[in-house]
Amino acid sequence: MATTQTRPSPAPLLQPGETVVLFDGVCKLCNGWARFLIRHDHQRRLRLAAVQSPEGQSLLAWAGLPLDQFDTLAVVRDHHYWVRSDAVFEIIAQLPAAWRPLLLLRAIPRRLRDWAYDRIARNRYRLFGRYDTCLLPHPDHKQRFLKGPL
């Protein structure tokens, strides 16, 4: 079972039960992950927000996560948030059943999972590259990204 962190107030900008994935918008690996989620989340259970966006910054602040060090994936829903490998498993649990066998990897001790996660996260720019600026969502996918009130 994934370990969730809990906050006393519900996450800002989200509707009750809405799940948002926070990702590094300049990381090529993270952008590939976001595109994968758009392609495979047929039921649209997940919304996305780059951590560099105002919405991402608001959710990071709510969770008490660093606003300027984007070294982890985070998932936010209601009063809860998940980071690192637990965030990955929370995402997989929202995907179609074909992806659920990957949840068996939860049997690997969290300490080992997070160690591997941290190695990739710390070296993601060197291994996969980075964009100079945050990529804008494709017009067909704009509704998949969290937007705050205007």
Side-chain angles (χ1 to χ4, degrees):
M1 184 63 84
T3 300
T4 178
Q5 304 294 321
T6 305
R7 306 294 296 166
S9 62
L13 308 175
L14 277 64
Q15 298 299 316
E18 185 173 38
T19 301
V20 174
V21 176
L22 296 172
F23 69 99
D24 182 349
V26 297
C27 168
K28 288 185 177 183
L29 173 64
C30 304
N31 273 274
W33 179 239
R35 287 189 302 276
F36 171 86
L37 294 177
I38 289 169
R39 192 168 49 252
H40 294 284
D41 178 23
H42 305 294
Q43 293 184 340
R44 298 176 179 253
R45 293 180 176 179
L46 302 167
R47 307 258 332 256
L48 300 163
V51 293
Q52 294 89 348
S53 71
E55 296 81 9
Q57 289 285 294
S58 177
L59 291 171
L60 288 172
W62 168 84
L65 296 170
L67 301 178
D68 57 351
Q69 296 176 353
F70 313 122
D71 61 355
T72 186
L73 180 70
V75 175
V76 178
R77 182 183 321 112
D78 298 325
H79 291 264
H80 308 283
Y81 70 96
W82 297 261
V83 295
R84 300 162 80 195
S85 65
D86 285 333
V88 173
F89 289 124
E90 190 59 29
I91 292 167
I92 291 169
Q94 301 298 315
L95 293 176
W99 296 101
R100 304 265 167 79
L102 291 174
L103 294 175
L104 294 172
L105 295 173
R106 281 185 179 162
I108 298 171
R110 179 179 298 110
R111 187 174 182 171
L112 183 58
R113 292 188 331 243
D114 284 344
W115 178 85
Y117 181 96
D118 290 342
R119 294 300 143 308
I120 294 168
R122 287 186 189 132
N123 294 295
R124 68 191 184 277
Y125 296 143
R126 185 172 55 80
L127 295 171
F128 301 98
R130 70 181 287 159
Y131 298 108
D132 293 330
T133 60
C134 226
L135 294 181
L136 296 175
H138 190 278
D140 292 343
H141 300 143
K142 278 189 177 183
Q143 71 278 10
R144 301 302 297 273
F145 285 79
L146 182 66
K147 280 294 180 197
L150 297 178

